Amino acid sequence: MNFSWAAALYQIIFMLIVILFFVGLYRFVNRLIQHTKNTEESLRRLEEKIDRLNHEMNKTE
């Protein structure tokens, strides 16, 4: 059986590229989910502030 170092090295490099792709994809999706959560929380806080301002404005009238 003939062992080829070039083929073995190519397979190792290819596997590393595939692993890096999936790690990058995981990190991208994780950041996207975190950003969505932050956006929802920010919108909720903004909505509460607007509700408080509306309530205060209606009280003074």
Side-chain angles (χ1 to χ4, degrees):
M1 189 169 234
N2 191 7
F3 182 75
S4 173
W5 280 104
L9 188 60
Y10 172 76
Q11 287 180 351
I12 290 171
I13 291 172
F14 183 76
M15 288 302 295
L16 286 175
I17 290 172
V18 169
I19 289 170
L20 285 176
F21 170 76
F22 282 110
V23 168
L25 185 64
Y26 169 76
R27 291 183 65 183
F28 173 75
V29 170
N30 201 14
R31 286 182 188 165
L32 193 63
I33 290 171
Q34 188 65 33
H35 177 70
T36 304
K37 285 181 182 176
N38 289 343
T39 303
E40 289 175 0
E41 290 173 6
S42 299
L43 288 174
R44 191 176 306 116
R45 284 194 302 265
L46 186 61
E47 185 180 6
E48 289 171 359
K49 288 179 183 178
I50 291 173
D51 287 343
R52 264 189 268 129
L53 286 174
N54 277 338
H55 184 65
E56 288 178 10
M57 287 177 67
N58 289 335
K59 248 192 331 187
T60 57
E61 288 180 4

